[in-house]
Amino acid sequence: KQWYQRRVRAGDTAQAFLAIVNVVQNPVHYFADQLYKSMKGLGTNDNKLIRLVVWRCEIDMEEIKEEFKVISKGETLESFIEGDCSGQYKNALLALCESS
């Protein structure tokens, strides 16, 4: 059992280092990709989506939106939010995306 726990921790550590390298190399691409992953497929990872939009809205959201279009093959971040979210939650996210 201890071997398994160490192996899981080693994998988590490797993923953390890989994420750090990706952020340092190209932060705009990394955050656009994380936003895309938070909404693609069935369901939305709301915690990740909120955290990323709030964190990046005043830093580099315009650049992230352009990179998001590339990753999503032409769809905008706003269209993804409109399709995955609703109500005041959707309105707040869209306002944050436009506040940059």
Side-chain angles (χ1 to χ4, degrees), residues 14-56:
Q15 279 188 314
F17 282 127
L18 184 58
I20 291 168
V21 168
N22 288 333
V23 169
V24 170
Q25 286 181 336
N26 190 346
V28 170
H29 179 80
Y30 176 79
F31 292 119
D33 186 53
Q34 291 301 305
L35 282 166
Y36 179 74
K37 288 177 180 175
S38 75
M39 293 182 282
K40 78 173 185 175
L42 292 175
T44 301
N45 184 334
D46 293 311
N47 289 334
K48 183 185 259 188
L49 177 59
I50 293 166
R51 185 181 65 233
L52 289 166
V53 170
V54 169
W55 184 25
R56 306 310 295 185

Side-chain angles (χ1 to χ4, degrees), residues 63-95:
E63 296 168 46
I64 289 171
K65 289 191 307 188
E66 289 303 314
E67 185 67 20
F68 187 93
K69 248 190 236 182
V70 173
I71 291 170
S72 67
K73 297 177 177 71
E75 289 195 57
T76 65
L77 175 59
E78 291 88 344
S79 69
F80 261 71
I81 290 171
E82 294 218 6
D84 279 18
C85 306
S86 62
Q88 292 301 314
Y89 172 55
K90 174 183 77 175
N91 296 338
L93 288 173
L94 290 172

